Amino acid sequence: MAILELEHVSVSYDGQRHAVDDVSFSVEEGEIISLVGESGSGKSTLLHCMQGLLPKSAAARGKITLFGENMLELSEDRRRRMRGEQVAMIFQDTGRYMNPIARVGKQFTGYLKLHLDKSREELLELERQMLEKVHLYDVDRVLHSYPFELSGGMRQRVGIAIALSLHPRLLLADEPTSALDVTVQAQVVKELVQLCREEGATIILVTHNMGVAAHISDKIGVMQNGKLVEWGSARDVIRHPQEAYTKSLLSAIVELDDEQFLCR
Ligand SMILES: Nc1ncnc2c1ncn2[C@@H]1O[C@H](COP(=O)(O)OP(=O)(O)O)[C@@H](O)[C@H]1O
Ligand SMILES: [Mg+2]
């Protein structure tokens, strides 16, 4: 069953040229989707409009149905209630979205309290469990740290732990590892996808790395100048790309064989 459906979605900022231009696709529950494309091709705009998070300067047309709700017409109140439990987001740089002068544990608790009616001890237990799930082992030290005391990789893992803590059905991840060392990137993405598979969560991952997309995805979408120029199963997109642009992205990665569909 489709949990998300976009029909002829276009978005423009300040009356300018379309940042997203007539995009349509649908996503089934449990799928791992990657959106690939160069900087400025409209990937972040697309993720933001899926959750109704566009700035006031943006105008969106078309229809976005998420869990049966029309996101472009939903009240802010309803949208806020959907966030966290149904849809959660991971950003490129979790540190930028955290309060620099509050300890990680306090911020984690603050997020959980918005949604859960549990005791302090129960919340702390959930925080510890989630941090262990993302392979942060000295969890009490992490909870007592300020964001700047953690490495970039640790902060992204905290961001993933927080985003997954309410078991969202859909996770939107906007270049969640592009601020990390290349060696850490693949590992963190692979763990993220494995966690989502265990939870049965659907994930839409924005990445400019076609290699990562090829490794982890069920489906790949390629964006160029606001248009979705390619959409299909990862296998089809990799083996039979329709667009010259997709071919150029693919030529940048090493030869693939079946073993490299790691998480599938
Ligand atoms: N808040 C904004 N105000 C005005 N223009 C924006 C805003 N955000 C993005 N854009 C423009 O929309 C286009 C798509 O941007 P974006 O969605 O951020 O692409 P991507 O995530 O693929 O890099 C770009 O031309 C960008 O300059
Ligand atoms: Mg972006």
Side-chain angles (χ1 to χ4, degrees), residues 19 33-47 92 173-175 178 204-214 217 219-231 237 243-250 252:
I33 310 284
S34 290
L35 289 177
V36 196
E38 65 200 5
S39 181
S41 58
K43 308 181 298 297
S44 295
T45 301
L46 200 54
L47 277 200
Q92 182 170 348
D174 195 355
E175 308 208 31
S178 59
I204 301 180
L205 172 78
V206 165
T207 172
H208 55 243
N209 187 329
M210 189 55 139
V212 165
S217 316
K219 284 194 183 139
I220 295 178
V222 179
M223 298 276 301
Q224 187 185 26
N225 295 330
K227 288 193 184 303
L228 185 69
V229 295
E230 188 109 5
W231 174 264
V237 169
E243 294 289 322
Y245 180 58
T246 312
K247 288 175 194 162
S248 74
L249 292 174
L250 284 164

Side-chain angles (χ1 to χ4, degrees), residues 30-32 164 168-171 196-203:
E31 278 185 327
I32 310 288
L164 291 178
R169 291 170 67 196
L170 173 65
L171 187 72
C196 286
R197 286 221 186 269
E198 282 166 28
E199 296 263 330
T202 308
I203 174 166

Side-chain angles (χ1 to χ4, degrees), residues 230-242 250:
E230 188 109 5
W231 174 264
S233 75
R235 238 161 249 259
D236 285 349
V237 169
I238 289 158
R239 298 202 192 289
H240 311 290
Q242 301 298 306
L250 284 164

Side-chain angles (χ1 to χ4, degrees), residues 130-222:
M130 289 310 301
L131 292 177
E132 278 170 11
K133 267 196 178 173
V134 296
H135 305 283
L136 285 168
Y137 293 110
D138 196 353
V139 294
D140 287 319
R141 187 176 77 76
V142 172
L143 289 170
H144 280 100
S145 300
Y146 292 97
F148 72 86
E149 294 178 304
L150 304 177
S151 70
M154 290 170 90
R155 274 199 301 270
Q156 284 314 88
R157 285 170 196 268
V158 168
I160 294 169
I162 293 176
L164 291 178
S165 58
L166 298 167
H167 308 288
R169 291 170 67 196
L170 173 65
L171 187 72
L172 302 175
D174 195 355
E175 308 208 31
T177 61
S178 59
L180 306 181
D181 289 346
V182 178
T183 47
V184 188
Q185 281 188 16
Q187 184 63 24
V188 173
V189 170
K190 200 177 132 199
E191 287 168 14
L192 171 63
V193 168
Q194 270 167 354
L195 280 173
C196 286
R197 286 221 186 269
E198 282 166 28
E199 296 263 330
T202 308
I203 174 166
I204 301 180
L205 172 78
V206 165
T207 172
H208 55 243
N209 187 329
M210 189 55 139
V212 165
H215 279 45
I216 60 155
S217 316
D218 296 313
K219 284 194 183 139
I220 295 178
V222 179

